[in-house]
Amino acid sequence: MRLSLLFPGIFVVCALFSLTNCEEQRLPKEDKLLVVTVATKETDGFKRFMRSAKHFNYTVKVLGLGQKWSAGEYMSAPGGGQKVRLLQAALEEMKNEDKIILFIDSYDVIFASGPKELLKKFQQTRHKVVFSSESLIWPDRHLEDKYPHVIEGNRFLGSGGFIGYLPNIKEMVADWTGEDSDSDQLFFTKIFIDPVKRKSANITLDSKCRLFQNLHGALDEVMLKFEDGRVRARNVVYDTLPVVIHGNGPTKLQINYLGNYIPNTWTFETGCTECHKELNPLKALKESEYPLVVIGIFIQQPTPFVTVFFERLLKLQYPKNRLKLFIYNPEAHHEPQVSSFLKDHGSLYQDVKFIKPEEKTDGAASRNLGFDMCRKDKDCDYFFVLDIEVVLKNENTLKILIEQNLPIVAPMITRAGRLWSNFWGALSAEGFYARSEDYVDIVQGRRVGVWNVPYVSSVYLVKGGLLRSELTDYELFNSNILDPDMAYCHNIRNKGIFMYVTNMHTFGHILSTENYQMSHLHNDLWQIFENPKDWEERYIHENYTRIMKDKLIETPCPDVYWFPVFSDVACDHIVEEMEHFGKWSGGGNKDTRIQGGYENVPTVDIHMNQINFEKEWHKFLLEFIAPITEKMYPGYYTKCATPLNFVVRYKPDEQPLLTPHHDASTFTINIALNSKDVDYQGGGCRFLRYDCSIRAPRKGWTLMHPGRLTHYHEGLPTTAGVRYIAVSFVDP
């Protein structure tokens, strides 16, 4: 006896409740589904599509690989007929009538879920063919009235994705006789709006985006949904979770953004799941086998700490004989620093090309020339852009970027204390900066990974093979309306090449070049406000931060404290700056620089305000002297009011010593700016009340002592050479 006679109600229940186990048992098997796509080149977008298909175990048939694309540009005019022709030919060879075909684009498509969910949702439509839907009509708006009306949802057909049974799709495309450049969208639209053809092929639209989500016209409707270790795109208008996400039309950047997370590329639970795949490890290679890299160093404007930049370049952990240098410097101000580096170290590198200021090459042209140096060298594996304002503190940066094995990848760097970085997470409609939803989390390290972004600058690695293939255009940086970096990124995006930024490691930061003065000998000394971290690293003693922890403060005399504060470089620069200024006082009692015009205990000196260094010196006292004062003199809090800050010069034939005196201060600091027995003989300081002398001051160390009443003191004779000290009378 048949089952239906024994249990007549079971089929009624299955018909009424489409989500029951009964219907799930009748769902087509996953091996009946075949994904068909057209891709003439294996672009970055195609590779992303295939990764997402592999993630969910889709079976994919690719049509047209290696063929010339002759179907027009989607962004500018209708086209795509080549896809229909290729599909038509492929279907003719397929004989399995119960096969289900999913035909979708690939360059701008990602899967968000697997075949089981897709087939289930397809079955629930109760149609033989389902097209994706759009809220915007394309390419012929005059056909709008011929579309069937829908109560809720999108009304118009999107040809970038459809699913159906093999016989029905064969029927649809059987009549195709168009040219490759004809519109596939218009072809399928005319089938759909024809009631007879629509019924014959049993076609419907996925109006509420249950299977397909086209992003064009729907950007405000789609948001990421993080749940239970999975990431989906949710349509908040229809409360649906589409299986296929399509960045159709001008939404390529949005699909790139979603692709940073879908399918499970990055989750809150796992972090980045793709970041360690497809790496190109260097450990197995001998140094002589390392990829050849051209490093392009670009000086675009007067920049602080250029000498330090080149010191870091030397420390880059990469064999020098596998590096070539391209250096662009239009600034005569930096010519001595660049020339000095090349003279001392240029021979370490395989080759060096140097564009000097007198060549008068502009920024865009210089970058094009740099790329061309790699482009013309068949052995050049990578071009590494490195702008002079980049502080690259991670010595393994180049190795890390190469191992990522990406077409273009930048190490994330930021400006200290600000959200400014060398990448943009999104673009405005005009093509300028816009903040993506995840930008702050990426910059602040709350989301760590490798991110597909629309703009990188300042420091990034480009594959040399890319320059000799897709990027053969010599003038990538040229534009009449965009700056060179924006023009470059615009051209890269237009070619469908992905740019990435990684924050998987800490790489460094970028300098502020604002308010950089060039009126001094050592202009970096004035950077304590603009670039405080770099100023401290350059000019503060390497042991300063250990003063309290390791008890480095010495007490050579009662209530006199001695500790390291300045680096040797700071001492040298201050001395050289003063000698460069050269207007030393005569050491007489008459002194128009101070209030009252009379100095009781005169020295041969130059005041900090004479070289416009008063504000910077005050900042130094607040940041590096005041904290020690408050530790060593408990209960006393200083704002470092300093009417007198100056550098004193002692010479045997000028002013060798200073007679006993009190300082006009609550406390005084006295920093030795050069070394006894190296730069001078004799010297030192004696506190008469305690008959206590410091006869061998250490370069970069400061004496800190009370100024009045108890600490009557004198400067001991300098017997040879020249001695320099920096003095501040704090809190008069």
Side-chain angles (χ1 to χ4, degrees), residues 140-161:
D140 187 352
R141 61 184 180 85
H142 298 100
L143 299 177
E144 179 175 351
D145 291 341
K146 296 186 178 182
Y147 267 92
H149 287 278
V150 295
I151 298 173
E152 184 182 11
N154 295 329
R155 184 181 172 194
F156 307 113
L157 175 145
S159 66

Side-chain angles (χ1 to χ4, degrees), residues 84-222:
V84 187
R85 174 175 62 80
L86 291 170
L87 175 63
Q88 184 187 56
L91 294 179
E92 289 175 357
E93 299 177 2
M94 299 181 189
K95 305 303 180 184
N96 192 342
E97 295 295 305
D98 62 349
K99 185 176 287 294
I100 296 174
I101 303 298
L102 172 64
F103 187 66
I104 50 176
D105 291 348
S106 59
Y107 294 169
D108 51 7
V109 169
I110 50 176
F111 287 105
S113 188
K116 184 176 181 180
E117 180 179 338
L118 179 73
L119 291 169
K120 182 177 180 179
K121 289 180 174 179
F122 170 55
Q123 188 84 341
Q124 289 168 355
T125 67
R126 300 187 183 281
H127 284 75
K128 298 297 184 180
V129 179
V130 181
F131 273 86
S132 68
S133 67
E134 300 186 27
S135 62
L136 304 173
I137 187 169
W138 169 264
D140 187 352
R141 61 184 180 85
H142 298 100
L143 299 177
E144 179 175 351
D145 291 341
K146 296 186 178 182
Y147 267 92
H149 287 278
V150 295
I151 298 173
E152 184 182 11
N154 295 329
R155 184 181 172 194
F156 307 113
L157 175 145
S159 66
F162 57 85
I163 185 172
Y165 287 96
L166 177 60
N168 302 77
I169 295 180
K170 274 186 177 181
E171 178 185 340
M172 275 199 319
V173 301
D175 295 335
W176 172 261
T177 57
E179 300 293 330
D180 282 2
S181 58
D182 289 344
S183 172
D184 63 326
Q185 176 107 342
L186 186 60
F187 171 73
F188 289 119
T189 295
K190 287 181 176 180
I191 294 174
F192 181 73
I193 62 177
D194 183 324
V196 175
K197 292 181 178 180
R198 183 170 69 246
K199 183 176 181 180
S200 176
N202 197 0
I203 306 171
T204 190
L205 299 186
D206 178 34
S207 296
K208 295 184 180 179
C209 306
R210 299 183 72 242
L211 290 86
F212 304 97
Q213 177 66 66
N214 288 313
L215 295 179
H216 187 33
L219 292 179
D220 293 338
E221 300 176 9
V222 180

Side-chain angles (χ1 to χ4, degrees), residues 361-377:
T361 306
D362 67 29
S366 72
R367 292 180 185 272
N368 288 325
L369 286 171
F371 271 29
D372 209 42
M373 180 175 172
C374 179
R375 187 180 285 121
K376 292 179 178 179
D377 183 351

Side-chain angles (χ1 to χ4, degrees), residues 348-400:
L348 297 174
Y349 298 90
Q350 191 178 119
D351 190 20
V352 176
K353 180 175 176 59
F354 181 23
I355 298 182
K356 300 180 179 181
E358 54 265 29
E359 296 183 46
K360 300 191 181 302
T361 306
D362 67 29
S366 72
R367 292 180 185 272
N368 288 325
L369 286 171
F371 271 29
D372 209 42
M373 180 175 172
C374 179
R375 187 180 285 121
K376 292 179 178 179
D377 183 351
K378 62 180 178 59
D379 295 325
C380 175
D381 296 298
Y382 292 94
F383 189 88
F384 185 39
V385 172
L386 187 57
D387 289 357
I388 201 76
E389 63 266 27
V390 172
V391 178
L392 208 57
K393 302 190 78 171
N394 189 327
E395 296 176 1
N396 291 305
T397 296
L398 186 52
K399 289 181 180 178
I400 291 168

